[in-house]
Amino acid sequence: MKTLLDLEFQNRFTRDLPADPETTTRPREVTGALYSRVSPTAVAAPKLIAGSRECATLIGLDPSELEGEDFARVFGGNALVPGMDPFAMAYGGHQFGHWAGQLGDGRAINLGEIRGPKGAGWTLQLKGAGMTPYSRRADGLAVLRSSVREFLCSEAMFHLGVPTTRALSLVTTGDQVMRDMFYDGNAKLEPGAVVCRVARSFVRFGSFELPASRGDEVLLRSLADHVIRTSFPELNAPPAGTAIPAETYVAWVREVVRTTAVMVAHWMRVGFVHGVMNTDNMSILGETIDYGPYGWLEGYDPGWTPNTTDAQGKRYRFGNQHQIAHWNLTRLASAVVPLVGDVEALQEAVDGFQAIYTEAWTGMLASKLGLPEFDEERDGPLAVDLFRILELQETDMTIFFRELAGPLGGDAVSALARASYGDGFDGETVTALEAWLGSYRSRLEALGVEDGPRRARMDGANPRYVLRNYLAQLAIDRAAKGDPTGVTELLEVLRRPYEDQPGRDEFAARRPEWARHRAGCSTLSCSS
Ligand code: AMP
Ligand code: MG
């Protein structure tokens, strides 16, 4: 384990790829380059609120370094460690279905890429570290509430086994940031914060779309080749200097299709709604990235989205996420057509999405139900019926599946009713559920599934603890009053989401009624 000063920076992105010659933060269109060098803006009083020791260990940093004074200075944006080469990336994106042109890291500044344990490269990125050439008309900053949410959710998702970017630290800046939370003309000052995110790569679908939209095939190819060589070693691309064959680009897209499909299946398994699946928010590694107005399902509802900006069309609603992922992959494939020259091969790669997604999702569904595998003919209708029942009355998805792992005898329905947001289940639901439990029991018997192994299998797929929207908000309220223990306590619980943790029942409880309509607990805007 290394100290902060011993971290070894390799910075392959800035070493190998073309930079914008200008280094000011003047807002501008950046062409012919993939990034702009820019330093974080210094803040008044950086202070560590929370750190992730698992994330520190992942990158080979001694976790005790998190507590040091230097740490808050570096990860609040007031100092650089020798070897860092900070930059903001240029990318574009389709936002809510429409091409939005150049976007880029408007408030994210990559500090550099370290060589971690076993030679793995990890890019450290500050979010909320000040203006970049891509800040457009915004301020480059982030507020405490959205930073707490990004920090906690990144780590919660990791512990849930969902592919995600990671979060190393959450630092408050001591500066105030002006935000109009509801976009209703009532702007106010809020405490500022910076999260350090960590990933093998922060390249997005939109990173390819931008050079493609400008017809810059040379730049597009440099980026694709770099990404394939550094992040997809299993594709065995020839070394720099030798052209990458067309079929390797196709194999790469196929791999992005696969990882993206698996990621979304995990979201469906744990009840996560990303909220803003624009192509600039889609990682080329198939990892969950950019935690904005995301949310966790309470009552099971495929039509739910936490994002108020999307309340009309509900494009990014829970049940639509796999279709959007597929659409986004089509945008990525279109962008790389010039590298392959064979539209059909790319189309075929993207068309593979549905089958991969179905296989991933049904496999997870089998685990959620404690079945050894998913037999479409028999288990398909069983699953469809169950989800239909969950929609009859407002029913907490997380609690329901966790309870379903319990004994299936006469009391099963009353145990399951703990998931109800009403006054228990009504007659229609009880009847439907009893009939369903009958079919479920027969299926388990036919397969010879015993209760013990069934429970173990289900408890490994159905978390007891997720980052319930209101729990995050309670931690934010305390942090805003200067008490960070709500954040650290929640992180502690979320480190072991599948284990029953004695004395921590309140973290697994249904959303209380007061939280039903409170902002931050039920819906969120993009303001962050
Ligand atoms: P998002 O929808 O949060 O992924 O953001 C879309 C684009 O807006 C990205 O280019 C962000 O970097 C940029 N952006 C969002 N918030 C800010 C901000 N406060 N300052 C500068 N750029 C921002
Ligand atoms: Mg984004």
Side-chain angles (χ1 to χ4, degrees):
M1 289 292 132
K2 294 187 168 161
T3 65
L4 199 48
L5 285 169
D6 291 338
L7 288 176
E8 185 192 335
F9 284 89
Q10 58 184 11
N11 303 333
R12 289 175 296 177
F13 197 87
T14 49
R15 187 194 68 194
D16 297 345
L17 295 169
D20 171 11
E22 187 173 337
T23 55
T24 72
T25 58
R26 181 181 66 84
R28 58 187 180 269
E29 286 283 304
V30 173
T31 55
L34 291 164
Y35 61 93
S36 308
R37 286 199 163 83
V38 58
S39 292
T41 301
V43 302
K47 185 166 171 267
L48 183 84
I49 295 296
S52 163
R53 47 189 191 273
E54 286 90 358
C55 184
T57 307
L58 175 73
I59 64 171
L61 177 69
D62 184 339
S64 68
E65 288 286 292
L66 293 168
E67 313 296 332
E69 214 168 280
D70 282 347
F71 187 93
R73 284 177 51 226
V74 171
F75 293 95
N78 284 12
L80 293 172
V81 168
M84 286 178 171
D85 185 13
F87 67 97
M89 251 192 257
Y91 54 79
H94 277 84
Q95 297 185 315
F96 296 94
H98 304 283
W99 175 242
Q102 176 183 298
L103 299 166
D105 287 330
R107 56 170 166 174
I109 297 181
N110 302 277
L111 296 173
E113 182 201 27
I114 60 167
R115 228 173 108 79
K118 299 187 201 119
W122 295 104
T123 297
L124 309 183
Q125 182 186 82
L126 301 186
K127 184 162 172 181
M131 300 278 278
T132 78
Y134 309 97
S135 301
R136 295 176 288 163
R137 287 203 301 267
D139 57 9
L141 304 175
V143 291
L144 179 63
R145 60 185 156 81
S146 62
S147 305
V148 168
R149 286 168 49 81
E150 174 132 29
F151 173 79
L152 282 176
C153 204
S154 306
E155 292 305 282
M157 292 285 264
F158 163 71
H159 293 295
L160 283 163
V162 183
T164 179
T165 58
R166 301 293 301 273
L168 177 64
S169 58
L170 168 63
V171 170
T172 46
T173 61
D175 292 322
Q176 300 282 301
V177 176
M178 189 65 95
R179 283 290 179 273
D180 182 355
M181 187 155 78
F182 303 106
Y183 299 126
D184 62 359
N186 289 307
K188 64 179 185 86
L189 288 170
E190 297 189 44
V194 175
V195 169
C196 177
R197 309 198 289 192
V198 173
R200 286 173 292 135
S201 168
F202 284 100
V203 170
R204 300 131 191 276
F205 291 8
S207 307
F208 300 92
E209 290 180 278
L210 185 60
S213 74
R214 293 165 171 168
D216 191 341
E217 197 181 315
V218 172
L219 199 60
L220 175 67
R221 192 178 295 275
S222 330
L223 179 64
D225 291 6
H226 174 85
V227 165
I228 290 171
R229 289 196 175 104
T230 54
S231 299
F232 294 81
E234 68 279 13
L235 296 177
N236 292 313
T242 308
I244 292 183
E247 60 266 25
T248 304
Y249 295 113
V250 177
W252 165 58
V253 170
R254 219 179 279 125
E255 184 58 10
V256 181
V257 169
R258 188 187 67 77
T259 52
T260 303
V262 170
M263 170 188 77
V264 176
H266 277 289
W267 292 356
M268 303 311 284
R269 172 175 68 83
V270 299
F272 175 79
V273 190
H274 182 285
V276 205
M277 292 178 73
N278 293 333
T279 55
D280 52 306
N281 292 337
M282 299 292 292
S283 157
I284 201 67
L285 300 180
E287 294 180 342
T288 316
I289 189 172
D290 277 10
Y291 291 92
Y294 67 81
W296 293 81
L297 279 197
E298 288 154 349
Y300 175 78
D301 175 6
W304 185 67
T305 175
N307 185 357
T308 52
T309 313
D310 191 24
Q312 287 291 310
K314 293 195 180 180
R315 179 178 172 87
Y316 299 141
R317 63 189 182 273
F318 180 65
N320 208 30
Q321 298 191 110
H322 67 287
Q323 276 166 30
I324 293 294
H326 192 170
W327 191 88
N328 289 344
L329 285 159
T330 307
R331 303 282 78 72
L332 173 69
S334 307
V336 303
V337 165
L339 308 183
V340 179
D342 179 354
V343 175
E344 263 169 50
L346 282 167
Q347 185 66 53
E348 208 178 296
V350 174
D351 285 347
F353 179 89
Q354 196 52 49
I356 299 168
Y357 175 75
T358 301
E359 194 190 333
W361 167 235
T362 54
M364 291 181 205
L365 202 45
S367 303
K368 285 182 83 64
L369 294 170
L371 305 171
E373 59 188 8
F374 199 84
D375 175 339
E376 187 52 56
E377 206 179 304
R378 293 196 172 74
D379 304 323
L382 193 70
V384 168
D385 285 350
L386 179 60
F387 285 113
R388 205 173 281 144
I389 293 170
L390 290 183
E391 281 190 76
L392 287 178
Q393 270 182 269
E394 196 182 12
T395 305
D396 192 278
M397 174 176 164
T398 304
I399 299 176
F400 185 91
F401 276 99
R402 196 73 186 182
E403 290 295 339
L404 190 60
L408 295 173
D411 294 340
V413 173
S414 45
L416 291 168
R418 281 181 210 140
S420 164
Y421 279 97
D423 202 5
F425 286 143
D426 63 23
E428 187 197 352
T429 310
V430 170
T431 309
L433 207 46
E434 271 168 355
W436 187 85
L437 284 167
S439 317
Y440 181 44
R441 266 189 238 108
S442 320
R443 185 76 188 117
L444 293 169
E445 265 162 40
L447 291 164
V449 177
E450 305 278 342
D451 260 4
R454 181 176 73 89
R455 164 142 236 160
R457 196 173 172 76
M458 291 174 78
D459 282 358
N462 299 314
R464 173 125 160 93
Y465 306 96
V466 295
L467 183 55
R468 291 176 177 276
N469 312 310
Y470 82 93
L471 291 176
Q473 189 57 45
L474 291 175
I476 290 165
D477 291 345
R478 280 164 69 182
K481 288 188 192 124
D483 169 17
T485 56
V487 176
T488 44
E489 206 174 270
L490 201 43
L491 176 62
E492 206 48 40
V493 174
L494 296 168
R495 288 174 70 227
R496 292 178 291 127
Y498 299 104
E499 281 175 42
D500 291 319
Q501 302 177 34
R504 286 174 165 166
D505 287 350
E506 82 249 45
F507 293 98
R510 273 174 313 199
R511 173 207 59 224
E513 270 312 296
W514 61 258
R516 183 182 287 276
H517 299 297
R518 204 190 132 188
C521 297
S522 54
T523 54
L524 294 119
S525 74
C526 285
S527 158
S528 60

